[in-house]
Amino acid sequence: MRILVTGGAGFIGSNFIRHMLRTHPEHQIVNFDKLTYAGNLENLRDVEQHPNYRFLAGDIASRGDVERAFELGIDWVANFAAESHVDRSIEGPDVFLQTNVLGTQVLLDTARKRWLPSPIAPETILERGERRHLFLQISTDEVYGSLGPEGYFTETTLLSPNSPYSASKAAADLLVRSYHHTYGLPVLITRCSNNYGPYQFPEKLIPLMITNALEGKDLPVYGDGLNVRDWIHVEDHARALDLVLHKGQPGEVYNIGGNSERTNLEIVRFILRELGRPDSLIRFVRDRLGHDRRYAIDSSKIQRNLGWTPLRHLEDGLRATIAWYIENRPWWERIKSGEYRHYYQRMYGGK
Ligand code: NAD
Ligand code: TYD
């Protein structure tokens, strides 16, 4: 199959591409990425000469760019491309709607026209069990909103997104669903919890805290630090997506989670302990607007139906991730010394 991986130069997309090239010599990968501030071809240096890999610069919200990609003969789409940071969506939602909603619609529309010259009943695709064409939407548990101390998100939990980021992802999910229901496009949707691992942009909690601690800077914790996230190693996510593409039922949603709920303070204190730095580096700062209190995923459906299970234990995975950031200092120092510095000043300067 020739797989169009959009957003493949970002954190999860680049880890997914590496996983697919390693485990599926039968597939060709086209990495289609706009290379925004978060896209970095250095994330894929080790595979850029791989015979089954090629890069194509482009914007998912541009019909011309997406048409050019489909001219290569695309069988499957894995849509990772997105604006992905909640804090940036609070500062400026426009680009989130442009990329996450309109971009997804352009991809869906192009796939529909190329793959389904005439509409086909979704039941027909299911009956045939065909995997000739697939559109995988990589979504997030944040579309479900926020949980209290009890309970879990299941695939049937009502969508109640709280940030412009999660609202744009929820809108995209619903568009993907509608293209299946209306046109019979063979789609799959996954909703995953918070990822961590190598190549994560240092604006997100874990890489920000590791790199700040390495630089001897303050660690800015929002509010009381007791918000809970369910952490999953990015390689466990990549394996789950691989399985959904090969075995998932078109039209279905699959939750993916790490079964590793921790408060932000637990994560930050663990990182400080591992690096031998004092807790006094923690600086409590003004809370994020509309900050979701707790996310927790029930991933029993993918475990039961597709036989997936997360393999990386959180503390081991975190130790390996800390080691990666220590060994790859030039990778994140280049990022932190560029445009990102102005962002950091803007976001954290007055808090
Ligand atoms: P990221 O910000 O690291 O990467 C996003 C990539 O998309 C970048 O390479 C960027 O250049 C590219 N991109 C942005 N706009 C584009 C456009 N208009 N056209 C083409 N490419 C564009 O994000 P990530 O953390 O790797 O997340 C990838 C996907 O997974 C996103 O859809 C996100 O919503 C979803 N997700 C992320 C997490 C997480 O914890 N990071 C969890 C669940 C789901
Ligand atoms: P983040 O990595 O931005 O992921 P998300 O908001 O998509 O879950 O943040 C994870 C948690 O860490 C979230 O509760 C916000 C908190 N956080 C901080 O306390 N300080 C920070 O500087 C950042 C970036 C996040």
Side-chain angles (χ1 to χ4, degrees):
M1 294 295 171
R2 180 162 291 141
I3 311 175
L4 184 71
V5 177
T6 69
F11 163 49
I12 305 175
S14 61
N15 278 284
F16 174 75
I17 288 175
R18 193 172 290 103
H19 165 87
M20 292 298 277
L21 291 172
R22 197 173 53 231
T23 53
H24 290 285
E26 74 279 19
H27 296 324
Q28 307 270 326
I29 303 287
V30 178
N31 174 11
F32 179 84
D33 198 298
K34 187 180 175 184
L35 299 180
T36 66
Y37 78 93
N40 186 351
L41 289 176
E42 277 184 47
N43 299 1
L44 290 159
R45 271 288 173 260
D46 53 329
V47 298
E48 67 188 3
Q49 302 300 334
H50 196 291
N52 291 350
Y53 170 79
R54 65 178 288 181
F55 173 70
L56 183 65
D59 181 344
I60 59 165
S62 154
R63 282 188 187 269
D65 289 357
V66 173
E67 279 292 342
R68 257 192 301 286
F70 271 78
E71 266 151 32
L72 299 171
I74 299 302
D75 303 300
W76 294 351
V77 172
N79 182 27
F80 293 85
E83 288 295 330
S84 66
H85 192 39
V86 174
D87 293 320
R88 287 185 190 251
S89 82
I90 296 167
E91 288 289 288
D94 292 12
V95 68
F96 283 75
L97 270 77
Q98 178 70 21
T99 287
N100 301 2
V101 185
L102 296 176
T104 300
Q105 192 253 333
V106 168
L107 282 173
L108 286 165
D109 226 30
T110 312
R112 170 176 79 86
K113 286 177 185 149
R114 292 267 169 176
W115 296 345
L116 306 173
S118 49
I120 174 170
E123 306 79 60
T124 318
I125 297 171
L126 294 185
E127 275 163 23
R128 287 192 202 149
E130 273 186 11
R131 313 193 76 75
R132 175 74 191 86
H133 295 299
L134 290 172
F135 188 105
L136 169 62
Q137 175 69 7
I138 288 84
S139 186
T140 165
D141 62 355
E142 302 192 27
V143 297
Y144 297 121
S146 184
L147 288 167
E150 304 288 323
Y152 295 91
F153 298 133
T154 72
E155 288 80 359
T156 55
T157 301
L158 191 72
L159 303 192
S160 308
N162 288 321
S163 72
Y165 162 68
S166 53
S168 69
K169 292 294 290 186
D173 279 23
L174 296 180
L175 275 172
V176 172
R177 183 183 186 279
S178 78
Y179 270 65
H180 178 70
H181 187 83
T182 304
Y183 305 110
L185 196 73
V187 307
L188 295 151
I189 298 174
T190 55
R191 298 189 181 132
C192 189
S193 61
N194 285 62
N195 285 221
Y196 70 95
Y199 299 105
Q200 187 166 29
F201 196 86
E203 66 188 353
K204 304 281 166 57
L205 179 75
I206 288 177
L208 178 67
M209 297 299 158
I210 296 173
T211 57
N212 274 16
L214 287 171
E215 293 177 305
K217 289 186 182 155
D218 288 350
L219 275 54
V221 171
Y222 298 162
D224 59 8
L226 297 181
N227 304 67
V228 172
R229 297 292 182 264
D230 173 5
W231 293 97
I232 181 172
H233 194 279
V234 65
E235 283 164 13
D236 278 331
H237 188 189
R239 267 192 316 105
L241 296 174
D242 174 355
L243 211 56
V244 169
L245 270 171
H246 289 91
K247 300 228 167 73
Q249 173 90 318
E252 292 289 311
V253 177
Y254 295 93
N255 278 355
I256 303 168
N259 267 339
S260 299
E261 286 183 58
R262 299 288 187 279
T263 65
N264 295 336
L265 263 184
E266 284 172 319
I267 296 285
V268 170
R269 289 201 175 116
F270 181 84
I271 292 170
L272 285 171
R273 237 185 356 264
E274 286 297 308
L275 288 171
R277 305 285 150 116
D279 277 10
S280 57
L281 281 182
I282 294 173
R283 181 164 58 95
F284 288 95
V285 300
R286 197 175 61 230
D287 209 354
R288 173 186 280 172
L289 294 176
H291 197 173
D292 285 339
R293 194 62 173 169
R294 173 171 170 258
Y295 303 143
I297 275 275
D298 175 344
S299 63
S300 53
K301 177 174 171 180
I302 188 173
Q303 304 212 22
R304 197 176 48 247
N305 294 3
L306 306 185
W308 173 87
T309 187
L311 297 178
R312 299 292 293 261
H313 182 263
L314 177 61
E315 276 70 25
D316 292 344
L318 269 181
R319 276 190 200 97
T321 303
I322 293 169
W324 188 89
Y325 280 87
I326 292 172
E327 282 157 25
N328 291 275
R329 206 169 169 124
W331 179 87
W332 57 264
E333 276 184 342
R334 255 198 300 285
I335 293 170
K336 284 188 123 178
S337 64
E339 180 274 336
Y340 177 70
R341 217 158 19 115
H342 305 294
Y343 160 82
Y344 195 80
Q345 184 51 34
R346 208 171 60 243
M347 295 301 287
Y348 296 91
K351 281 190 175 177

